[in-house]
Amino acid sequence: MSTPFAEAAHEAARNEAARTRACGTAAHASASPAALDAAVSALAQLVRPSATVFYWIGADQEPSGFELYGMAETMHRTYLQRYCRLDPLHPSRFAAQRGSVLTLDSELPATVRDGSIYWQRFLNAYQVVDVMEVLLRDGERPAAAFSLLRMAPAEPFTADDLARARAVQPLLETALTPALRDERPLRAAADGARLTHREQQIARLVRDGLSNKEIARALDLSQPTVKTHLLRIFRKLGVSSRTELIGALFL
């Protein structure tokens, strides 16, 4: 039986194949967004969240590489700065979970929310009424996830919503995990500074041997903008050449 995600994924694959034939290595930078957008669209149709956040889960069980869909930057910044470690659905708690679709109610039942700082000061403050986490595993290890939020006046997720998320999860995992394996967030610099999503895209194209002009064409940027991003990457990593950049991030 065809599903919205399967149809979107097949269309994304056809488009990506066409780009690969036409543009060679330049298509590398745009493959993941196409697949990711198809997955977000499928979840929007099937589960109807008010906002969606995609993120990677590192070997240290920390989330990174966030992509926001419908969530305000200020809300996300507040989460990262104050409440990430208090999140009952934080990836560090996934190791003990066997399922791939987790709910807020299973980790923070309504009966104990009055005593939860995370609920009172973050979720409730932003009118979040429910959260569902859809995990993508690479083997046994959670490698990425979608965080689906329902905000007032919407109602909490229903049993049918949960069933639809569980039904589509294997399709998301099959389509996204292999396609995005090479796009995981790059490791942080020695001082903890992280590369932005754009900086990671540019770093990977440098690794692939593209010149500044070719990177600018691949990402639809000006050459001065590419140079500015490269200088920022150099500063964050404490390197002074493209060769040292590749050694710091990929070797």
Side-chain angles (χ1 to χ4, degrees):
M1 181 178 67
S2 178
T3 68
F5 176 73
E7 293 169 359
H10 292 158
E11 179 64 24
R14 286 193 294 270
N15 292 341
E16 179 56 22
R19 276 189 58 83
T20 300
R21 289 192 296 271
C23 305
T25 57
H28 174 82
S30 61
S32 294
L36 186 57
D37 287 348
V40 171
S41 176
L43 288 168
Q45 294 178 54
L46 294 171
V47 189
R48 298 171 291 109
S50 304
T52 299
V53 179
F54 172 82
Y55 59 91
W56 287 103
I57 303 169
D60 58 359
Q61 299 182 339
E62 288 297 324
S64 62
F66 297 89
E67 298 287 348
L68 310 183
Y69 300 84
M71 175 183 284
E73 289 280 355
T74 52
M75 179 180 175
H76 182 60
R77 190 160 49 246
T78 298
Y79 171 81
L80 291 178
Q81 292 173 348
R82 301 180 185 177
Y83 299 105
C84 182
R85 297 300 304 181
L86 298 178
D87 188 349
L89 292 170
H90 187 278
S92 62
R93 297 171 174 84
F94 292 166
Q97 300 286 350
R98 297 186 63 85
S100 292
V101 179
L102 309 177
T103 65
L104 181 66
D105 195 53
S106 66
E107 306 304 312
L108 186 67
T111 53
V112 301
R113 290 178 188 174
D114 285 346
S116 167
I117 292 175
Y118 184 74
W119 172 261
Q120 293 292 349
R121 298 185 185 178
F122 180 66
L123 294 182
N124 201 34
Y126 282 98
Q127 297 187 306
V128 178
V129 299
D130 206 356
V131 183
M132 182 190 301
E133 224 73 5
V134 180
L135 309 185
L136 307 180
R137 298 181 186 274
D138 187 0
E140 293 297 317
R141 186 184 72 81
F146 292 93
S147 187
L148 312 178
L149 292 80
R150 281 271 180 89
M151 300 174 181
E155 296 294 323
F157 293 113
T158 66
D160 286 343
D161 294 326
L162 185 58
R164 284 190 288 268
R166 285 174 173 155
V168 77
Q169 186 275 339
L171 291 174
L172 299 176
E173 192 168 80
T174 299
L176 284 177
T177 302
L180 300 178
R181 188 169 287 145
D182 192 45
E183 295 295 323
R184 289 179 183 167
L186 303 177
R187 57 180 176 267
D191 63 358
R194 293 185 179 275
L195 301 185
T196 66
H197 180 66
R198 179 66 80 189
E199 289 167 351
Q200 292 181 43
Q201 287 181 312
I202 290 173
R204 289 188 174 93
L205 293 177
V206 169
R207 173 201 60 188
D208 293 345
L210 274 67
S211 66
N212 284 8
K213 182 177 181 179
E214 290 169 328
I215 293 172
R217 186 183 303 119
L219 300 180
D220 196 23
L221 300 172
S222 69
Q223 289 189 60
T225 298
V226 171
K227 182 177 180 180
T228 298
H229 280 302
L230 273 173
L231 291 174
R232 288 175 180 163
I233 296 170
F234 286 178
R235 281 200 302 271
K236 287 183 178 181
L237 298 177
V239 302
S240 58
S241 71
R242 298 165 94 93
T243 300
E244 291 179 356
L245 181 157
I246 293 169
L249 291 176
F250 301 107
L251 301 180

